[in-house]
Amino acid sequence: MKIVGTRAPRAEGIEKLTGKAIYVDDLPLNDFLWGLTVRSTIPYGRIRSIGFDPSEDWSGVTIVTAKDVPGKNVVVLLEQDQPLLATERVMHQQEPIALLAHPDRERLWELAKKVKIDYEPWAPVLDIDASLAVAQKLFRDDNIFKSIGIDKGDVEAAFSRAARVVERTYETGLQEQAYIENQGMVATYDAAKKRLKVAGSMQCPYYVLKGLCPIVGLPPEQVEVEQAATGGAFGGKEDYPTILAAHAALLSMKSGKTVKMIYDRVEDLMATTKRHPCRTRIRTAHDADGRILALDIDATMDGGAYCTLSPVVLSRGTIHAGGPYNFENVRVRSRCVATNTPPNGAFRGFGAPQTIFAMERHMDVLASIFGEAPHRFREPYLLQAGQTTAFSQNVGEDVCIVEIQRQAVEETRFVERRRACEEFNRTSRWERRGIGLATFLHGAGFTGNGEVALDSKLKVDVTPDGIVQIFSANTEMGQGKDTTFGQIAAEAMDLPLSRVRVVTPNTQVVPNSGPTVASRTAMVVGYLVQQACKALRRSLEEHAGKTWKDEAEFASVAADYLRRRGLLEKWAQYQPPPGKVWDDKAYRGAAYGAYAWACYVAEVRVRLDTMEARVEAFDAFQEVGRVLNPVIAQGQIEGGVVQGLGYALQEEVKMRQGVMANANFTNYIIPTFADVPEVKVHFAERPYPFGPFGAKGIGELPMDGPGPAVANALSHALGVEVNRIPATPEHLMELLQGE
Amino acid sequence: MSDPAAETVIRCTINGRAHEHRCHPLASALDFLRYVVRLTGTKEGCKEGECGACAITLDGVVVNSCIVPAAHLQGRQVRTVEGLGADARFSALQQAFLDCGGAQCGICTPGMLVTGTALLEDGRPLTEQRIREYMAGNLCRCTGYGKIVEALLKAAEGGR
Amino acid sequence: MRTDLSAFRLERPRTLDEALATLASSKERLTLLAGGTDLYVYLNAGLARAGRWLDIWGLDELRGIRESGGYIVLGALTTYTDLQASELVCAVLPLLAQAAATVGAVAIQNRGTLGGNLVNGSPAGDSLPPLLAYDAELGLRSARGSRWVRLDGFYTGYRATVLAPDELVELIRIPRASAVAVTAGRYVKVGTRAAQAISKVVAAFALGRSAAGEIAHARVAFGSVAPTPIRLRALENHLLGRKLDDALVRSSADCLAAEIAPIDDIRSTARYRRFVSKNVWVRFLEECF
Ligand SMILES: Cc1cc2nc3c(=O)[nH]c(=O)nc-3n(C[C@H](O)[C@H](O)[C@H](O)COP(=O)(O)OP(=O)(O)OC[C@H]3O[C@@H](n4cnc5c(N)ncnc54)[C@H](O)[C@@H]3O)c2cc1C
Ligand code: FES
Ligand code: FES
């Protein structure tokens, strides 16, 4: 292969490196208004009235409330429980109630203070326990957005014959995506033509389209959604942009002008979605030798005030809960509950980091109870060819987790370093060192039959000057999709990269190739690129009666084709890999077409005087099918790992009365250059037959490992069980003092 | 920024070109550059001086433009990302970013390049540790920093 | 920004005298603008005081580091970058130089000033414990004249100082004697992360031992454990004249615990601050042996 697998430079690199890339706040606009959202300041209650301070001159201000919504006042996702603008009651702090637009952005903040909302406050439900106790009914009768069960073998029988049962509870906190570009959207409504255009920072233009149409009461043909350059997303720009787009659209429809809404950091942190907090109880039954007879997992996530994507997050979390292991008897029960907090949503990993944290901590807890090294204790249970996961998927031959873990242990000299840490700890007065690993898998693409339901379509064509164009709705948000799609197409066409162009996602221009989420873009949609290009190539070769020897010849073949026959475009549509069956009722079977397999190793050093922990070394081993571009793939892993290190040690969303109290970058602490070590990335490649040139998805994978690897290392260093993240110094102190 | 009486004329040199614009002297230099001068390469990430996306140099000194008053640009040499490469050519650091994968989503990149350029220009020998300390005020959520460290080391080598 | 600037005016005096005259003649309290690294955070968040602002950033009379009459004298506009670049500061006031290197990151160090850190008066200000440990005095200046006040008496409460409305901080001076008396010193910052971090606890320890090995000079200063940065006087007195041994480590740690009054806030807890304050002190003493 000439292009796939090379360090092809980032397709949009030049624009990004010269400041020319146009993000939403950079769009050149004339004669526009700024928009601002007026939000609730209580977590739960009735809105008695919305008033506008009469001492203020409101004549130049565009005001939108729920009654200005031309269509349905609802954010359509899985349920229809979330209003776009609150009417009678508010369900969480920062819930949008009214919208203002004005030419002067700074004035808007003064104006917003003069919108007086009178509430009748109700006692809020602020955590999982209160929700489960149904202190208030927030969602249906039981406050449960979704519950899931997985069963394999006979768990009860295994527990009844167990010599020993080990039970622990593991907790993970809220986490903020913390993309550096805040959410933003620009909307222009042309009343004469009844056409709406929105452009902004987003992952999924077709989600925005689907959400907007019923709200603005326009058919999709009259609504155009375009992605601007997007400064990071990580899931945070999966569902929320629909709300922001609709807000900007309503202000534009009412004012007749272009409206621009850009959140500042504080608003973005307080109002937008975060990773679901999760509490996972794990029980294992053991025989007299400590061997695991059965695994019983019970996980609860906090979904916030509205359902949004919680059921899907819960689903992925539940499926990944059993880890890369072959246990005979497994039971998983999980649920996602409602609380009066801002809705939680998509974040890289989508539920899996939470449950994998619990599983991988539990394996270390067991290893230490039964006196074995962590990797040795895990090894007998690691999935091998022909064995089945917790949800009874036969992993076939596509499994190499035993090898990956062995490689990780050997190449990191895990055993020697573990001993060295213990030696160090015996003599050091003020410091402790520890090393830990986490072994895990991550499924790529939508779960179960999800990809079939998405029915993704993609188009390629060729221009008269011999450029192959890729039309897909998938967005570039830093992950390198424009580059890898270009590489796939160039390779498939046997052309240099300069002959391929990736078209900017715009719902009027590109077909719906599905959302840019779930590690699906490279693997699922990239495969469509390959298929479509194959077809394109076949047509051109047939036309020419031969293949081209260079790009010039290609260009003339293409030009000739178009001259004689007009258009040349090829479509590709998703086809499920053969023989993969998923039973959504029983939660059994082929949850994902392919998995990436990984083992991550972290070494930490803890200062005992301050309980500050530093990750001194980090190694990430994984099998990912084919690496399409090593620079981009490493970048994905390194970035995900550092996000995971923040999750493990530093990033704590401090909620007070249902709202983030540390809502700025001064107090929500993400890792800096100085906080993290070099992340060493090691790839193993086993081409996957249904991915482009063998590639599997990797986007979310690196988020899963750091949490448990670091907590395992901390537990090793300190000799206490670190079963909650973030393991802040304050938390570690409490743990040690509790001993 | 609506009250003309409070505005003053800011005269400064931006990327080698003389500029003159009216603006409230207390507007942030970031808002001045982005919304008045309309040079949008400099980015906003936090407006609290924490993230470095808005980094520019004033007479060669790195500052976060979101917490500098426009008044302090008066008479200064301002450099933004738009002024890094000469005549449509990449600087050594821009090239190294492209080669090493130093930019992903790109929103932190202008600030990284401006701060990194100042680091390279200060002439002291570069080590990974020194990079990690000097650059610590520039947050990146995509790269995990490794590829940016690599790019800086590469640019430093090339420069010598 | 979340602030409508139409209610703000900025004045830019060219000389210190002009600035002092403006301060003297103003009826409303002026906001002095130095590097702006605190003020702009407030301004962007919609929390700054409207009205007249006086820009002192351009007053070079307030810059410079020199030695004079037994003092090291620093202009109020001395930045953290200036401190680190000064051979004098690095050699004679190492705790202050170390503190400067831990403030924010480079872009903040290039703009943040000592005067701003002092007058902003956050109990977490990183330069304050070293300045306390070195017996710093502040030169306050107004059109009425100049006065020196000890930093130790500068704060009257949480973010409140003795500075009069028409005064500004012109100079900070440190007696050379207080610096050279230190034979064992340490600056400790326990921040929220490795860089670009606000302190959860910050401290400066400065001990001097006599030839006989007794503690003859003791300054123990903490930030973020009380409403203002503080010197632990009782602990200092307890140390004086004693020799460093295990018993002193223990008894001094008890003194320390009795003298600090940390609180829970958004960055940390009172319990953690107590834990850390005691530990970093004990660790320092142990490592002095
Ligand atoms: C991202 C970031 C990180 C930071 N990190 C740290 C840190 O690690 N440690 C730390 O201690 N601080 C930190 N700070 C806070 C700030 O940088 C310091 O307090 C700095 O020293 C303030 O100086 P300045 O000149 O910028 O003050 P300004 O913002 O200009 O002024 C601050 C206050 O002091 C007054 N003032 C300034 N100079 C004088 C004077 N000469 N006389 C009278 N009044 C005066 C002003 O009126 C104002 O009330 C950080 C700030 C930011 C934005
Ligand atoms: S926007 Fe200026 S530092 Fe973040
Ligand atoms: S590349 Fe996205 S924040 Fe740095």
Side-chain angles (χ1 to χ4, degrees):
Chain A
M1 268 180 283
K2 291 187 206 153
I3 297 176
V4 158
T6 66
R7 302 169 54 98
R10 178 168 286 272
E12 76 291 5
I14 292 176
E15 293 88 75
K16 285 179 174 174
L17 291 164
T18 51
K20 296 206 179 79
I22 300 295
Y23 299 80
V24 57
D25 197 15
D26 308 334
L27 288 166
L29 305 174
N30 289 309
D31 190 27
F32 69 99
L33 306 177
W34 288 93
L36 188 70
T37 315
V38 179
R39 299 172 178 283
S40 67
T41 51
I42 62 165
Y44 190 39
R46 193 169 71 82
I47 299 178
R48 285 204 200 98
S49 65
I50 304 173
F52 297 85
D53 188 337
S55 70
E56 184 67 45
D57 174 14
W58 294 94
S59 57
V61 188
T62 307
I63 301 170
V64 164
T65 59
K67 58 181 192 302
D68 297 299
V69 177
K72 280 176 72 183
N73 180 27
V74 61
V75 183
V76 178
L77 272 167
L78 300 163
E79 299 281 342
Q80 308 216 347
D81 57 334
Q82 184 176 19
L84 180 72
L85 293 168
T87 50
E88 277 126 48
R89 60 167 197 180
V90 293
M91 291 290 290
H92 63 86
Q93 293 256 25
Q94 298 291 305
E95 181 160 8
I97 297 173
L99 306 165
L100 306 177
H102 190 270
D104 186 334
R105 190 184 197 178
E106 282 70 35
R107 268 301 281 140
L108 273 173
W109 288 101
E110 302 296 323
L111 291 165
K113 286 184 207 152
K114 300 192 171 148
V115 181
K116 303 289 177 198
I117 297 165
D118 184 30
Y119 303 99
E120 174 189 324
W122 299 334
V125 171
L126 295 177
D127 56 35
I128 286 176
D129 290 323
S131 180
L132 287 173
V134 199
Q136 303 261 13
K137 274 188 203 171
L138 306 183
F139 186 83
R140 302 210 176 107
D141 285 338
D142 55 4
N143 288 344
I144 292 179
F145 290 127
K146 168 95 178 166
S147 53
I148 297 175
I150 288 177
D151 292 282
K152 178 185 179 188
D154 189 341
V155 170
E156 285 306 326
F159 271 91
S160 64
R161 74 188 142 91
R164 178 158 187 189
V165 171
V166 178
E167 176 176 335
R168 292 289 187 278
T169 298
Y170 305 94
E171 286 178 88
T172 57
L174 283 159
Q175 187 187 20
E176 162 60 34
Q177 293 88 357
Y179 33 71
I180 304 296
E181 181 208 32
N182 292 312
Q183 308 251 6
M185 208 62 79
V186 171
T188 307
Y189 181 63
D190 181 335
K193 296 195 189 124
K194 289 202 154 104
R195 288 183 63 90
L196 173 68
K197 175 167 182 180
V198 300
S201 189
M202 66 181 78
Q203 286 176 239
C204 312
Y206 273 93
Y207 277 9
V208 174
L209 181 71
K210 188 174 161 210
L212 263 180
C213 289
I215 293 168
V216 297
L218 292 172
E221 306 79 60
Q222 284 159 246
V223 180
E224 178 180 353
V225 180
E226 184 168 285
Q227 186 210 12
T230 295
F234 314 112
K237 294 172 184 172
E238 176 170 349
D239 51 331
Y240 200 86
T242 304
I243 294 177
L244 188 49
H247 288 169
L250 293 182
L251 284 168
S252 178
M253 292 173 104
K254 181 127 187 218
S255 66
K257 291 206 170 167
T258 293
V259 171
K260 170 166 169 171
M261 297 184 79
I262 309 282
Y263 288 174
D264 67 9
R265 180 58 58 187
V266 175
E267 182 173 20
D268 196 297
L269 287 169
M270 294 220 282
T272 72
T273 58
K274 310 211 165 6
R275 184 186 300 291
H276 292 65
C278 185
R279 188 168 72 197
T280 310
R281 194 213 60 204
I282 302 189
R283 288 166 70 226
T284 39
H286 301 266
D287 69 13
D289 301 325
R291 281 192 51 85
I292 300 174
L293 301 174
L295 170 69
D296 182 17
I297 300 177
D298 185 281
T300 308
M301 292 187 187
D302 177 352
Y306 296 111
C307 182
T308 66
L309 296 169
S310 285
V312 203
V313 172
L314 183 74
S315 163
R316 189 174 277 270
T318 307
I319 289 170
H320 285 78
Y325 302 108
N326 166 45
F327 298 119
E328 236 168 88
N329 306 297
V330 183
R331 174 167 62 207
V332 187
R333 294 290 177 270
S334 67
R335 63 207 65 77
C336 186
V337 302
T339 58
N340 293 114
T341 59
N344 295 315
F347 189 166
R348 193 181 209 164
F350 217 66
Q354 291 93 315
T355 54
I356 288 174
F357 172 75
M359 186 69 221
E360 283 308 287
R361 268 302 297 140
H362 197 70
M363 289 307 257
D364 258 42
V365 167
L366 296 177
S368 123
I369 287 176
F370 295 110
E372 270 200 90
H375 60 292
R376 277 198 198 296
F377 184 81
R378 283 174 173 80
E379 189 159 315
Y381 308 104
L382 289 174
L383 283 161
Q384 300 198 23
Q387 293 183 333
T388 58
T389 61
F391 43 91
S392 305
Q393 178 171 7
N394 186 319
V395 290
E397 306 302 308
D398 174 33
V399 59
C400 56
I401 190 62
V402 175
E403 292 85 339
I404 294 288
Q405 185 181 287
R406 280 191 192 148
Q407 187 196 357
V409 168
E410 272 161 36
E411 289 187 21
T412 62
R413 300 186 304 106
F414 184 76
V415 177
E416 295 97 297
R417 280 166 65 196
R418 209 170 155 82
R419 217 175 294 127
C421 289
E422 286 158 15
E423 199 55 49
F424 175 89
N425 293 346
R426 266 192 283 282
T427 52
S428 174
R429 166 82 170 93
W430 287 106
E431 305 214 340
R432 291 290 177 271
R433 288 168 50 194
I435 186 168
L437 59 73
T439 308
F440 56 101
L441 80 177
H442 197 99
F446 263 38
T447 309
N449 308 322
E451 288 293 343
V452 176
L454 279 177
D455 192 24
S456 302
K457 295 178 193 67
L458 176 138
K459 181 177 91 171
V460 298
D461 74 2
V462 60
T463 64
D465 47 352
I467 301 287
V468 175
Q469 303 193 107
I470 304 171
F471 295 80
S472 108
N474 296 97
T475 49
E476 172 62 55
M477 50 201 183
Q479 85 282 35
K481 159 250 154 190
D482 281 2
T483 314
T484 48
F485 274 18
Q487 285 179 274
I488 293 165
E491 186 75 50
M493 297 296 297
D494 195 18
L495 288 172
L497 276 169
S498 55
R499 286 273 163 197
V500 180
R501 179 185 307 143
V502 180
V503 174
T504 302
N506 175 316
T507 55
Q508 298 278 320
V509 178
V510 301
N512 188 355
S513 53
T516 308
V517 303
S519 312
R520 66 183 295 273
T521 304
M523 182 177 98
V524 177
V525 189
Y527 196 53
L528 299 184
V529 174
Q530 188 182 2
Q531 300 303 311
C533 285
K534 262 192 198 161
L536 190 70
R537 179 171 180 173
R538 210 175 306 118
S539 293
L540 286 168
E541 285 176 346
E542 275 166 19
H543 177 75
K546 57 172 185 172
T547 191
W548 40 87
K549 64 176 191 306
D550 56 22
E551 56 172 315
E553 193 172 286
F554 162 79
S556 67
V557 170
D560 190 64
Y561 186 107
L562 295 178
R563 212 176 308 115
R564 289 174 198 236
R565 306 206 198 175
L567 193 66
L568 175 55
E569 57 178 43
K570 291 291 169 192
W571 290 72
Q573 187 163 2
Y574 176 76
Q575 299 292 333
K580 304 261 179 188
V581 184
W582 168 252
D583 177 346
D584 201 56
K585 288 218 171 57
Y587 253 72
R588 286 171 73 91
Y592 300 99
Y595 297 86
W597 307 94
C599 180
Y600 285 6
V601 180
E603 182 173 338
V604 300
R605 181 186 284 261
V606 188
R607 281 180 58 159
L608 291 178
D609 51 346
T610 63
M611 297 313 286
E612 292 168 298
R614 257 193 93 77
V615 178
E616 302 258 287
F618 200 97
D619 284 88
F621 291 80
Q622 51 254 305
E623 191 280 316
V624 297
R626 170 92 66 199
V627 174
L628 294 170
N629 180 322
V631 176
I632 283 175
Q634 284 161 17
Q636 282 295 291
I637 303 297
E638 291 172 15
V641 165
V642 166
Q643 229 168 22
L645 295 179
Y647 189 42
L649 290 172
Q650 299 170 308
E651 295 181 31
E652 187 167 28
V653 174
K654 296 182 182 173
M655 297 294 277
R656 304 273 188 276
Q657 274 304 298
V659 70
M660 183 172 183
N662 54 334
N664 51 41
F665 268 179
T666 309
N667 292 319
Y668 183 75
I669 298 298
I670 66 172
T672 71
F673 272 95
D675 289 276
V676 294
E678 179 193 351
V679 175
K680 296 204 182 86
V681 179
H682 314 259
F683 288 119
E685 295 181 78
R686 288 193 173 190
Y688 167 59
F690 302 99
F693 300 98
K696 298 194 280 199
I698 58 166
E700 296 173 294
L701 176 79
M703 193 67 224
D704 295 339
V710 167
N712 288 341
L714 289 170
S715 303
H716 180 228
L718 297 172
V720 293
E721 288 183 13
V722 178
N723 294 342
R724 192 203 97 174
I725 52 172
T728 58
E730 286 80 358
H731 178 60
L732 293 176
M733 171 199 78
E734 297 292 348
L735 269 182
L736 279 195
Q737 297 208 331
E739 283 294 284
Chain B
M1 279 192 244
S2 55
D3 181 0
E7 291 186 354
T8 63
V9 177
I10 311 272
R11 292 187 188 83
C12 58
T13 307
I14 305 175
N15 301 324
R17 278 191 44 208
H19 280 261
E20 197 178 303
H21 304 271
R22 288 191 69 78
C23 173
H24 195 292
L26 285 172
S28 70
L30 175 65
D31 284 353
F32 173 76
L33 288 169
R34 289 182 53 80
Y35 301 133
V36 182
V37 185
R38 296 206 179 209
L39 277 176
T40 55
T42 305
K43 302 303 179 194
E44 172 190 320
C46 68
K47 285 189 193 165
E48 354 156 14
E50 283 286 325
C51 76
C54 66
I56 60 171
T57 60
L58 297 187
D59 294 344
V61 175
V62 183
V63 303
N64 289 332
S65 63
C66 69
I67 53 169
V68 168
H72 288 187
L73 304 190
Q74 197 69 266
R76 304 275 159 186
Q77 294 281 341
V78 180
R79 186 161 66 181
T80 69
V81 66
E82 287 96 340
L84 291 183
D87 310 322
R89 276 186 48 233
F90 266 11
S91 72
L93 186 59
Q94 285 167 315
Q95 188 59 49
F97 261 63
L98 191 66
D99 296 343
C100 300
Q104 288 189 22
C105 81
I107 200 80
C108 72
T109 309
M112 290 287 175
L113 289 169
V114 166
T115 310
T117 301
L119 171 61
L120 291 172
E121 282 174 358
D122 104 340
R124 285 200 277 155
L126 268 200
T127 58
E128 169 160 358
Q129 162 139 14
R130 174 122 203 283
I131 293 171
R132 287 191 182 273
E133 280 167 18
Y134 192 95
M135 300 293 295
N138 290 75
L139 299 177
C140 175
R141 193 59 157 169
C142 297
T143 63
Y145 305 110
K147 305 255 171 250
I148 299 174
V149 172
E150 204 182 309
L152 277 158
L153 288 170
K154 182 167 177 178
E157 250 165 48
R160 238 176 273 135
Chain C
M1 67 174 60
R2 291 190 175 193
T3 300
D4 181 355
L5 289 175
S6 50
F8 289 69
R9 293 286 178 282
L10 180 68
E11 291 172 40
R12 308 195 70 199
R14 272 154 305 172
T15 62
L16 180 57
D17 283 339
E18 212 182 293
L20 296 174
T22 311
L23 280 167
S25 64
S26 174
K27 280 184 210 77
E28 63 174 300
R29 183 158 195 154
L30 299 183
T31 300
L32 294 172
L33 170 66
T37 58
D38 281 313
L39 285 174
Y40 263 72
V41 174
Y42 307 141
L43 199 62
N44 283 329
L47 302 173
R49 185 154 46 104
R52 290 171 75 192
W53 284 32
L54 190 68
D55 186 358
I56 60 170
W57 179 251
L59 303 180
D60 285 338
E61 294 140 287
L62 300 181
R63 294 203 156 80
I65 299 172
R66 60 182 192 276
E67 228 184 324
S68 134
Y71 289 95
I72 293 121
V73 185
L74 310 155
L77 288 178
T78 301
T79 65
Y80 301 105
T81 300
D82 296 337
L83 289 172
Q84 293 170 76
S86 159
E87 279 175 29
L88 179 64
V89 171
C90 292
V92 185
L93 308 174
L95 303 181
L96 187 59
Q98 285 165 33
T102 69
V103 171
V106 170
I108 302 300
Q109 292 170 14
N110 285 339
R111 295 276 304 180
T113 66
L114 280 183
N117 207 222
L118 285 160
V119 178
N120 183 56
S122 161
D126 285 331
S127 74
L128 309 177
L131 289 174
L132 279 172
Y134 286 134
D135 299 333
E137 298 167 21
L138 309 185
L140 309 186
R141 179 89 182 264
S142 68
R144 294 175 285 122
S146 306
R147 59 177 175 142
W148 288 102
V149 301
R150 293 170 56 86
L151 175 55
D152 204 6
F154 184 62
Y155 296 106
T156 54
Y158 179 67
R159 287 181 185 247
T161 73
V162 302
L163 200 70
D166 65 341
E167 272 181 323
L168 52 69
V169 178
E170 179 188 16
L171 299 167
I172 298 113
R173 73 175 182 190
I174 288 164
R176 191 172 230 286
S178 298
V180 296
V182 183
T183 56
R186 178 170 289 181
Y187 168 76
V188 186
K189 170 168 176 168
V190 182
T192 48
R193 63 185 157 199
Q196 197 78 321
I198 307 293
S199 291
K200 298 196 271 198
V201 168
V202 53
F205 308 139
L207 299 184
R209 266 188 282 188
S210 68
E214 282 153 2
I215 297 175
H217 176 91
R219 299 286 183 274
V220 180
F222 271 90
S224 265
V225 297
T228 68
I230 50 166
R231 263 178 69 183
L232 306 190
R233 296 277 190 170
L235 168 56
E236 291 172 3
N237 289 334
H238 180 76
L239 295 170
L240 286 177
R242 292 182 204 238
K243 284 198 171 159
L244 206 47
D245 58 17
D246 282 334
L248 188 64
V249 172
R250 258 174 280 124
S251 59
S252 69
D254 291 342
C255 270
L256 181 147
E259 247 182 312
I260 61 174
I263 57 166
D264 286 347
D265 65 12
I266 203 66
R267 300 193 181 106
S268 191
T269 63
R271 274 168 64 84
Y272 179 75
R273 291 185 161 113
R274 287 197 165 275
F275 168 87
V276 164
S277 301
K278 189 172 148 190
N279 282 343
V280 296
W281 170 251
V282 169
R283 183 170 183 176
F284 165 65
L285 287 187
E286 284 186 11
E287 290 175 359
C288 275
F289 277 116

